[in-house]
Amino acid sequence: MKTHNNIELYAHTKTDPATSLVLPEHTWQKLDEHLSAVACTAQGFADSFDAGGMAYAAGILHDIGKATEAFQARLRGKRKRVDHKSEGGRRALELSKKLLGPNHGKTIGTMLAYIICGHHGGLPDYISESGAAGLLELLKRESPPLLMELPEFLDELGSPLHGGLKPKAPKSGSATHLSFYLSMLIRMVFSALVDADYLDTEKAMDPEGAALRKPCPPIAEYAELFAPKLNYLQSFPLDNPVNKARRAVLNACLRAAENGRGFFKLTVPTGGGKTLSSLAFALRHALRNNMRRVIYAIPFTSITEQTAEIFRGIFGGELVLEHHSNAGSDNLEADEDETTGRPACENWDAQLIVTTNVQLFESLFAAKPSKTRKLHNIANSVIILDEAQTLPDSLLLPTLAALKTLVADFGVTVVFCTATQPAIRSDWLDGLTVHEIIDDTAELFSALDRTKIINLGETSDNALTEQLQSHEQALCVVNTRQHARQLFEPLKKLDHVYHLSALMCPEHRSNVIAEIKERLKSGQPCIVISTQLIEAGVDIDFPCVYRAAAGIDSIAQAAGRCNREGMLLGPDGNKTPGEVFVFYPEKAGLPQGWFSRMASLGSEVMAKYPNPLLPEAINKFFELRYTFGVDLDEKHILRDIEKGAPQSFSFREIQSSYKVIDDKATYGVIVPYDEMCKNIL
């Protein structure tokens, strides 16, 4: 693009990768080419949720502030920072009012202003409350004149501003949902812009890095690769009740996959084959409904890694994107003139993604470009929420509001997948129906009932350690690291007694678990004292389990480590259930607060239901849990969103409030556990 003074305008400089020296100007990326490419790419991303016009407008205007003498001088060597984002935000507001009228135009223009003003530093709050400049302040800043005529420029590119600025209306008309929808729409279009901006800059400045991004095969190819595994699962011998129940779960998933998009529940006891059956559902459902990708969200990194490994065994490593704190990077807060090649974790440009609840849910409430860049790729996806009962109580209502908006307005299917289904009320989802995949969950739970619950009442540590030593193989799960250590201390001299807790580094825990599995497999004596970490997807099988008093969901998880395959034999040679002993520990083992409250509710349910692991009892537990003494929107996130709509959202404040894991008092440590680690250090 050239101005009336015949000065070429650029978006980015280019450097020699070998010397880091700036290359001649004729190699730089031209501003008009960058704006046009970003606009078209962002439009393509946002067309999937009917907001292509907004994304195009944001792309055309996002870097218009670079058409100034100050910014062009910066590119040519003056390192004084220049605010190029505010100008695009102001122009978006002006043009929207002009094209759409003062009322609707102000709403759309403000939404675009959030997106454009935040495309590097992050979505701003409307009024500054975090120390960073708020949108109002940014829009009031004076800027030098542009070196080109904007209306003429827009005409040259054939901008569809007038025809494409009206996004579809949300499905629900409630005030809360409308507010949430608008905030989510801003984040989604923001995501489309940020991703398009990064990709185009990378393509121009780092073509070799851009070439590493390879298109993923369609979902149909994944279904073909999964077919042999599916055939194997459908032909597996039905020689015991567990295998019969697993086949029933798989067939139910395949039938339910034929339905349209929406909310689903997959309620299956631990060991019932949820992982592969839910994958079968997701792939077939995505094919039937022309959906783009499958996303597995899992609460714990350890299960995420295990699930990703299972999927890699089916599809190969290149076709499975594993994204969590130990895999991938969110370091995208670079200067706007810098670009580096980055993995697909940045934008979830993959068809099968295995990630954590932290990555998924915190991104849905984020303001940073690094967190939100992936959001547009969530639209038209199947999301499997494994261990859905772990959704944090204090964030439950905003989390469900986000899922409801994805389902109602962004073409998403969500599956709540767990053995202990949370009691989600219909009004929390604005009346959207949650379809149960399993027709008769009570019958399924009875078929997979491999344990019996025995209430030991109050039990001292001394009595507990004596009972543990009476078994050849036993698992004891307690609530705190301190209690695990206290129980292990008098037994640690025995070579068949093991300790597991988060006081051990992950590599140490993995090694100990591998040794435990080997002893169990070979029938050797093995007693394990562990915190709840062993309940999180560890495929391990004991003949009996001791569980410190806890919520029914935790007791069910512990029971899932007992007689897992249903093959335990009694003295008479016939199959017998495994024994799960629930005990009430001494004071140190049941601290006040959350643990005590969950144990109290669990005790109340166990007193009323002979088998507290059946769906009716689990549902009652969650009804009690969500009813008494808990604020399901503790950080007032929904109230803040409704209060701020449609034009005064607090994106950064909401980002700081929505934390699946409170990391304010945590920090990373490096443990020189083995020789490999020592060598790396």
Side-chain angles (χ1 to χ4, degrees):
M1 176 199 303
K2 292 186 178 179
T3 67
H4 56 275
N5 293 326
N6 209 34
I7 299 173
E8 192 77 68
L9 299 179
Y10 296 101
H12 303 102
T13 60
K14 191 170 183 178
T15 58
D16 185 335
T19 64
S20 297
L21 296 176
V22 177
L23 294 172
E25 287 188 14
H26 71 270
T27 67
W28 296 2
Q29 186 183 31
K30 295 179 181 179
L31 181 59
D32 58 341
E33 293 175 356
H34 176 61
L35 296 178
S36 179
V38 171
C40 292
T41 302
Q43 181 180 30
F45 290 156
D47 276 342
S48 66
F49 46 91
D50 298 331
M54 284 189 69
Y56 185 92
I60 284 291
L61 296 169
H62 81 287
D63 271 357
I64 206 72
K66 291 185 176 182
T68 62
E69 289 185 2
F71 194 89
Q72 294 300 307
R74 179 175 185 244
L75 292 180
R76 292 181 170 92
K78 290 188 178 181
R79 299 308 296 171
K80 182 180 179 181
R81 296 191 68 84
V82 179
D83 171 19
H84 71 278
K85 299 169 290 187
S86 302
E87 179 66 22
R90 282 192 297 276
R91 298 284 181 164
L93 188 56
E94 292 170 4
L95 283 167
S96 298
K97 289 180 180 178
K98 181 179 179 180
L99 293 170
L100 302 174
N103 295 324
H104 186 58
K106 182 180 180 182
T107 298
I108 297 296
T110 303
M111 293 169 70
L112 283 170
Y114 276 118
I115 293 162
I116 294 167
C117 289
H119 76 271
H120 282 301
L123 290 167
D125 293 338
Y126 189 69
I127 299 173
S128 176
E129 296 183 12
S130 60
L135 184 64
L136 271 182
E137 179 186 336
L138 293 172
L139 294 179
K140 290 177 181 178
R141 287 182 179 175
E142 294 185 7
S143 64
L146 298 180
L147 299 176
M148 35 80 77
E149 293 296 326
L150 184 60
E152 180 182 335
F153 171 56
L154 294 175
D155 289 341
E156 286 175 4
L157 291 177
S159 169
L161 277 172
H162 188 272
L165 270 179
K166 295 182 179 180
K168 67 179 181 180
K171 295 288 180 63
S172 170
S174 72
T176 301
H177 184 77
L178 176 61
S179 304
F180 206 99
Y181 166 71
L182 291 175
S183 70
M184 184 71 79
L185 181 61
I186 290 172
R187 286 193 184 89
M188 283 285 190
V189 178
F190 179 68
S191 166
L193 171 65
V194 168
D195 196 21
D197 190 18
Y198 274 113
L199 290 173
D200 184 66
T201 303
E202 181 183 63
K203 183 178 179 181
M205 301 293 100
D206 181 22
E208 291 183 0
L212 296 175
R213 297 181 182 274
K214 306 210 180 281
C216 294
I219 282 290
E221 187 168 323
Y222 282 79
E224 290 177 9
L225 291 171
F226 185 61
K229 187 69 172 182
L230 181 59
N231 291 335
Y232 168 77
L233 295 172
Q234 291 180 314
S235 62
F236 202 73
L238 302 180
D239 53 359
N240 63 62
V242 174
N243 286 344
K244 290 179 181 178
R246 288 171 178 167
R247 176 79 62 83
V249 170
L250 176 62
N251 290 336
C253 285
L254 293 173
R255 288 193 301 271
E258 303 290 340
N259 292 314
R261 309 178 193 205
F263 279 109
F264 293 84
K265 289 193 295 186
L266 179 57
T267 311
V268 178
T270 303
K274 292 192 300 293
T275 300
L276 292 179
S277 293
S278 61
L279 177 61
F281 168 90
L283 291 175
R284 180 167 292 189
H285 186 74
L287 275 176
R288 294 294 187 270
N289 291 281
N290 196 28
M291 301 171 80
R292 300 188 298 170
R293 56 183 46 82
V294 174
I295 301 169
Y296 268 78
I298 302 170
F300 308 109
T301 302
S302 58
I303 313 179
T304 307
E305 292 171 337
Q306 291 172 35
T307 303
E309 190 61 31
I310 292 170
F311 291 169
R312 280 192 288 268
I314 298 171
F315 304 105
E318 292 298 315
L319 297 185
V320 179
L321 177 61
E322 181 182 352
H323 188 199
H324 49 78
S325 59
N326 293 340
S329 171
D330 284 330
N331 184 25
L332 305 183
E333 308 308 325
D335 184 272
E336 59 261 32
D337 299 322
E338 298 174 1
T339 181
T340 55
R342 302 180 181 96
C345 291
E346 307 164 337
N347 60 356
W348 285 6
D349 186 14
Q351 264 50 56
L352 179 57
I353 300 159
V354 185
T355 189
T356 58
N357 287 354
V358 170
Q359 282 293 338
L360 174 63
F361 291 119
E362 290 190 2
S363 295
L364 293 172
F365 292 87
K368 288 184 178 181
S370 57
K371 285 287 188 183
T372 55
R373 184 176 170 185
K374 64 178 78 75
L375 290 185
H376 70 89
N377 276 327
I378 295 177
N380 296 308
S381 297
V382 182
I383 298 177
I384 306 293
L385 296 179
D386 195 18
E387 305 295 354
Q389 80 284 355
T390 62
L391 296 176
D393 291 16
S394 62
L395 298 172
L396 185 64
L397 292 185
T399 300
L400 293 177
L403 294 174
K404 170 188 65 181
T405 304
L406 289 176
V407 170
D409 304 302
F410 294 94
V412 170
T413 282
V414 172
V415 181
F416 298 107
C417 184
T418 178
T420 52
Q421 200 67 241
I424 295 173
R425 287 172 20 193
S426 175
D427 59 300
W428 293 344
L429 299 174
D430 265 356
L432 294 179
T433 301
V434 181
H435 305 281
E436 178 62 77
I437 292 175
I438 305 299
D439 294 330
D440 191 339
T441 56
E443 181 180 344
L444 175 65
F445 273 67
S446 295
L448 285 172
D449 189 8
R450 295 149 290 170
T451 61
K452 61 179 179 181
I453 306 297
I454 301 169
N455 192 339
L456 292 181
E458 189 170 337
T459 306
S460 69
D461 286 357
N462 288 337
L464 184 59
T465 55
E466 286 183 14
Q467 284 191 251
L468 287 173
Q469 291 180 82
S470 69
H471 300 282
E472 282 285 303
Q473 296 179 340
L475 168 66
C476 178
V477 183
V478 296
N479 294 314
T480 68
R481 290 173 289 182
Q482 179 186 354
H483 195 201
R485 192 168 186 173
Q486 286 177 196
L487 291 172
F488 177 69
E489 195 65 27
L491 301 175
K492 65 181 182 181
K493 293 181 180 179
L494 301 174
D495 62 5
H496 66 285
V497 178
Y498 295 86
H499 164 264
L500 288 169
S501 83
L503 288 174
M504 304 155 67
C505 70
E507 186 70 13
H508 188 185
R509 293 199 303 265
S510 296
N511 291 340
V512 172
I513 289 172
E515 189 173 337
I516 290 168
K517 287 183 175 181
E518 188 58 38
R519 291 188 73 92
L520 292 173
K521 184 179 179 181
S522 61
Q524 298 179 68
C526 184
I527 295 173
V528 178
I529 298 168
S530 175
T531 58
Q532 304 99 305
L533 68 85
I534 202 167
E535 297 172 349
V538 179
D539 187 0
I540 207 162
D541 194 352
F542 283 87
C544 74
V545 170
Y546 287 76
R547 183 54 167 100
I552 297 300
D553 54 339
S554 296
I555 294 171
Q557 287 292 334
R561 314 308 130 194
C562 182
N563 194 23
R564 192 173 177 86
E565 298 298 321
M567 303 301 288
L568 187 62
L569 301 179
D572 57 1
N574 294 321
K575 290 182 180 179
T576 185
E579 295 177 320
V580 178
F581 300 96
V582 178
F583 64 94
Y584 291 79
E586 294 177 335
K587 187 175 182 180
L590 191 59
Q592 294 301 305
W594 172 261
F595 289 113
S596 180
R597 181 169 173 269
M598 291 301 103
S600 177
L601 295 178
S603 177
E604 184 175 342
V605 171
M606 288 173 64
K608 293 180 179 178
Y609 295 89
N611 186 348
L613 304 187
L614 294 180
E616 184 181 3
I618 292 168
N619 188 72
K620 182 63 177 178
F621 166 75
F622 277 103
E623 284 182 354
L624 293 171
R625 174 169 159 177
Y626 293 155
T627 302
F628 299 107
V630 60
D631 187 344
L632 302 179
D633 185 16
E634 187 175 88
K635 303 293 185 179
H636 300 174
I637 292 171
L638 284 185
R639 281 162 274 187
D640 287 346
I641 290 175
E642 184 175 1
K643 179 181 65 177
Q647 298 172 20
S648 56
F649 294 117
S650 298
F651 288 105
R652 297 191 180 207
E653 186 178 346
I654 289 169
Q655 175 181 260
S656 64
S657 296
Y658 190 98
K659 295 290 183 183
V660 175
I661 299 174
D662 186 358
D663 57 1
K664 290 181 180 178
T666 65
Y667 50 90
V669 297
I670 298 173
V671 181
Y673 169 68
D674 56 16
E675 287 304 314
M676 179 183 290
C677 182
K678 291 174 184 176
N679 290 335
I680 292 171
L681 288 174

